[in-house]
Each structure stands twice: as structure tokens, then as C-alpha cells.
Amino acid sequence: MYRQAQAPASPGGEFEEEVYEEEEDEEEEEYGDASWIVANVEKEGNEFLGEIPEAYIEDNFNLHGLSAEVSNYSMALRMILDSDLPENVLEDQRMYQRLERSAEELYGLIHARWILTEEGMQEMKEKYTACQFGLCPRQVCKRHPVLPVGEVDAHREQCVKVFCPRCKEVYDVWITEAPASYPTSKYDLPLVDERRTGRILVL
């Protein structure tokens, strides 16, 4: 059984336990003017996600093979890019909710590819060095930052976990529901570990 990684430190220096409740109405009001991508990334439980540039999503080469992985692929892609949706979808709440789940799943699959790009890697490095993914729970690791990884490539199979580069162990995350939006290749992610070597490491 996996141990759980520690949450990132709060501004006051102590750890805060995240409590998530269903507040869909409040989220809709808060993110009403934001793009779909921004609103999705800022949802509770999506703290590990980054904002993928629309240009990356609009390039069909980057989406190769994903149409077979997600239901309502074309419509889900339109939702992600804030394109107009048919009136019947907007008027049918259940249909809209199903489409939104497809869009969230598709975004997660695209995200797992994007973070392996140079731009995605840079964002990962910044989050990692800022300890935004949490800290290793082992005392011997002395609060070393952890890195999100997926254990399987199938989006619906398992949620993301975190990997400690120091002890080489995988842990449960501190988020209640983290999407499996990270690749399985944890040993191929180059990161800067200034605390130990000051140079790029290949984990």
C-alpha cells in the first residue's frame, strides 16, 4: 500500500489539509468569464494540471490517436478550445455534463503529452523546484519535493501518484482526486535538483 505524500507548504509555513466539497454552482459563477482551459485547471482536484497552450491543442499532430480514446471527441475538443457548441447540447444539461467529462478526459490525455515538450518540461521544473507537487513523507528524504507520475497510460485506469527522486519511491497524492494526466515515464523526466547537485538529473 502506498504512503501519502505531504501537501505543499502553505504561505504560513504549515501544512493545510485540503477539503473538497461539491460546489458546482459557485464554480460556474467564479469561472464564468474564464476560458475552459483556465477554469478546468483551477478546479479543486486539478492542482497538478498546467495550462496547455491552445496552439499545441490545435495541432492535429499532437492529438494523433486520441480520437479513439475519448467519446464525443470532436465536440470535446471544441469545448476545450471554447468553440461554439450546438444549441441542443447547450440546452440539454445531461448531455452537456457528459460532454464536459469527455473534455476533461481529453485534456488530461493531451496534458500527459504536452508536459514532455520543452515548454511543458519548463513548467514542470518550476512547479517541482517550488515544491508545488508536495514533499516526500520519508524523514530520510528531508522534505524533498516530489514529481507527479502516472502508473498506467490508460486515463481511466488509475489516478496520478507522485515520485520522489531521492528515495525512488512512489506515493499517493495529497489531493483527493488527481487526474491521471501524467506519463508513465518517470525515469525519463529531466529535472534540476539544486539541493543535491545543481545540475540536470535524469531520474
Side-chain angles (χ1 to χ4, degrees), residues 75-140:
M75 296 295 292
L77 184 58
R78 291 177 64 176
M79 176 175 280
I80 291 174
L81 296 173
D82 294 312
S83 300
D84 292 335
L85 298 173
E87 288 295 329
N88 65 313
V89 174
L90 297 175
E91 295 173 356
D92 189 324
Q93 184 177 7
R94 296 180 66 180
M95 185 181 298
Y96 186 88
Q97 290 175 344
R98 287 198 298 269
L99 180 58
E100 188 159 36
R101 285 194 292 270
S102 294
E104 291 171 351
E105 182 177 346
L106 177 58
Y107 188 86
L109 293 171
I110 299 172
H111 187 273
R113 297 182 176 186
W114 174 71
I115 62 170
L116 295 179
T117 66
E118 182 177 355
E119 185 176 6
M121 282 283 194
Q122 179 61 32
E123 180 167 331
M124 283 284 288
K125 187 181 76 172
E126 292 173 359
K127 288 177 178 285
Y128 170 78
T129 54
C131 301
Q132 293 183 15
F133 298 126
L135 304 170
C136 183
R138 295 188 63 182
Q139 291 185 350
V140 68

Side-chain angles (χ1 to χ4, degrees), residues 10-202:
S10 65
E14 297 179 355
F15 292 102
E16 297 179 348
E17 182 178 353
E18 300 288 343
V19 179
Y20 301 111
E21 299 176 354
E22 294 183 3
E23 299 177 348
E24 296 180 357
D25 293 338
E26 293 184 8
E27 285 184 355
E28 290 179 1
E29 293 179 3
E30 183 178 357
Y31 303 126
D33 296 331
S35 68
W36 186 94
I37 293 176
V38 171
N40 184 58
V41 169
E42 293 184 356
K43 282 183 180 178
E44 290 181 327
N46 286 353
E47 286 84 349
F48 284 6
L49 292 178
E51 292 184 27
I52 308 174
E54 289 190 4
Y56 182 88
I57 301 175
E58 291 170 344
D59 188 338
N60 289 331
F61 178 80
N62 299 324
L63 312 182
H64 178 73
L66 296 184
S67 60
E69 300 292 330
V70 180
S71 59
N72 302 313
Y73 170 82
S74 297
M75 296 295 292
L77 184 58
R78 291 177 64 176
M79 176 175 280
I80 291 174
L81 296 173
D82 294 312
S83 300
D84 292 335
L85 298 173
E87 288 295 329
N88 65 313
V89 174
L90 297 175
E91 295 173 356
D92 189 324
Q93 184 177 7
R94 296 180 66 180
M95 185 181 298
Y96 186 88
Q97 290 175 344
R98 287 198 298 269
L99 180 58
E100 188 159 36
R101 285 194 292 270
S102 294
E104 291 171 351
E105 182 177 346
L106 177 58
Y107 188 86
L109 293 171
I110 299 172
H111 187 273
R113 297 182 176 186
W114 174 71
I115 62 170
L116 295 179
T117 66
E118 182 177 355
E119 185 176 6
M121 282 283 194
Q122 179 61 32
E123 180 167 331
M124 283 284 288
K125 187 181 76 172
E126 292 173 359
K127 288 177 178 285
Y128 170 78
T129 54
C131 301
Q132 293 183 15
F133 298 126
L135 304 170
C136 183
R138 295 188 63 182
Q139 291 185 350
V140 68
C141 290
K142 298 180 179 179
R143 297 162 60 88
H144 197 280
V146 293
L147 175 74
V149 294
E151 290 196 308
V152 292
D153 290 320
H155 185 271
R156 290 180 293 271
E157 292 294 328
Q158 193 167 8
C159 288
V160 69
K161 295 186 182 297
V162 290
F163 171 76
C164 175
R166 178 161 290 182
C167 65
K168 303 294 190 295
E169 294 292 338
V170 176
Y171 300 96
D172 287 329
V173 297
W174 47 272
I175 302 175
T176 52
E177 293 183 6
S181 305
Y182 284 81
T184 59
S185 53
K186 60 173 176 277
Y187 297 105
D188 297 330
L189 299 178
L191 295 173
V192 173
D193 188 350
E194 297 177 353
R195 300 183 186 183
R196 297 186 66 188
T197 64
R199 64 173 184 270
I200 291 180
L201 301 177
V202 178

